Amino acid sequence: WPSRHFYGGALEPRTVEGHETLALRRAPTLFVEAIDPSHPRVFLRLESEGARRRNDEEAALVASLVAEFLRCGVSPGELAVIAPFRAQANAVRMALREAVGERAVPRELVVDTVERMQGQERDVVVVSLTTSDTAYAERLAEFYFQPERLNVSVTRARRKLVLVGSTAVLRAFVPDPRLRHAVELLRSLLKESKLVRHS
């Protein structure tokens, strides 16, 4: 997807890793469809609305998902959570402390914003889309839908990318054609990902 939409089809994996699936030491008991290594890109969809820079329901879900990846044997140093806002990154960190215990959250596990993850890669990346308020997404369209930030988010994962969020942001209407194209990019990414609904 990033190769087609950002690099004219010229982006190729550096190594054989680009063609390998995620190896798990234990099979998942939670989030089975989302974690399934045979689906390298998953959209874990929530039916939430009204969240802006912080989405506590989504943060709790992301924390539970991360805890299950760890339980399945994914190394903490090969796992990262990316959020568009610092407030959401903080909410995910707090939820992780509740999910696995404050002392059990490994330091190597990165939970941060898109900008802080630039230049880094992990086997597993979970992206928290956070915003589920359509009007708010419209007001922040220049920032929220910025194609360069989307590109960075989706190209950090070597073997597994899980996008977590609501499709409410896709209803955003922005008059600027460039930003409308950016909304379409996100729509395309989610549509081409394996859909898993969270009830």
Side-chain angles (χ1 to χ4, degrees):
W1 187 90
S3 182
R4 278 188 285 116
H5 290 280
F6 293 106
Y7 302 100
L11 185 65
E12 291 289 335
R14 274 195 312 249
T15 66
V16 72
E17 279 182 354
H19 301 289
E20 291 181 356
T21 56
L22 179 69
L24 301 175
R25 289 206 294 271
R26 286 177 290 280
T29 54
L30 302 171
F31 303 104
V32 175
E33 272 190 286
I35 291 175
D36 183 351
S38 66
H39 301 294
R41 189 175 62 240
V42 172
F43 173 36
L44 181 55
R45 178 178 170 179
L46 280 86
E47 300 299 331
S48 70
E49 292 199 21
R52 294 183 172 188
R53 290 179 176 266
R54 180 177 171 136
N55 187 330
D56 290 327
E57 178 189 0
E58 189 171 304
L61 180 64
V62 167
S64 298
L65 176 63
V66 166
E68 187 67 359
F69 269 118
L70 292 170
R71 196 196 67 75
C72 290
V74 176
S75 163
E78 288 301 338
L79 187 55
V81 177
I82 300 176
F85 308 107
R86 269 181 280 181
Q88 183 68 358
N90 290 337
V92 170
R93 284 190 207 102
M94 285 174 55
L96 262 172
R97 286 196 287 271
E98 287 179 25
V100 300
E102 189 154 352
R103 292 188 178 155
V105 178
R107 283 190 194 155
E108 312 95 303
L109 174 58
V110 172
V111 179
D112 221 323
T113 59
V114 179
E115 292 75 17
R116 297 281 180 91
M117 274 300 294
Q118 196 152 4
Q120 300 184 56
E121 290 181 334
R122 298 291 187 276
D123 278 353
V124 178
V125 173
V126 178
V127 177
S128 174
L129 298 175
T130 308
T131 304
S132 59
D133 182 317
T134 307
Y136 189 71
E138 289 171 351
R139 287 201 299 277
L140 262 66
E142 185 78 41
F143 169 81
Y144 187 80
F145 294 108
Q146 186 182 79
E148 294 79 11
R149 299 176 80 252
L150 180 61
N151 184 19
V152 169
S153 297
V154 301
T155 54
R156 301 308 91 199
R158 285 191 289 254
R159 292 191 171 101
K160 180 81 176 183
L161 174 68
V162 183
L163 301 130
V164 183
S166 164
T167 55
V169 293
L170 300 180
R171 295 195 298 266
F173 174 76
V174 284
D176 182 334
R178 184 179 56 84
L179 292 176
R180 274 205 306 274
H181 173 69
V183 177
E184 285 304 317
L185 273 176
L186 179 58
R187 181 176 281 112
S188 162
L189 174 67
L190 299 182
K191 186 178 178 182
E192 292 184 35
S193 301
K194 163 75 175 169
L195 174 63
V196 177
R197 288 184 173 88
H198 178 74
S199 51

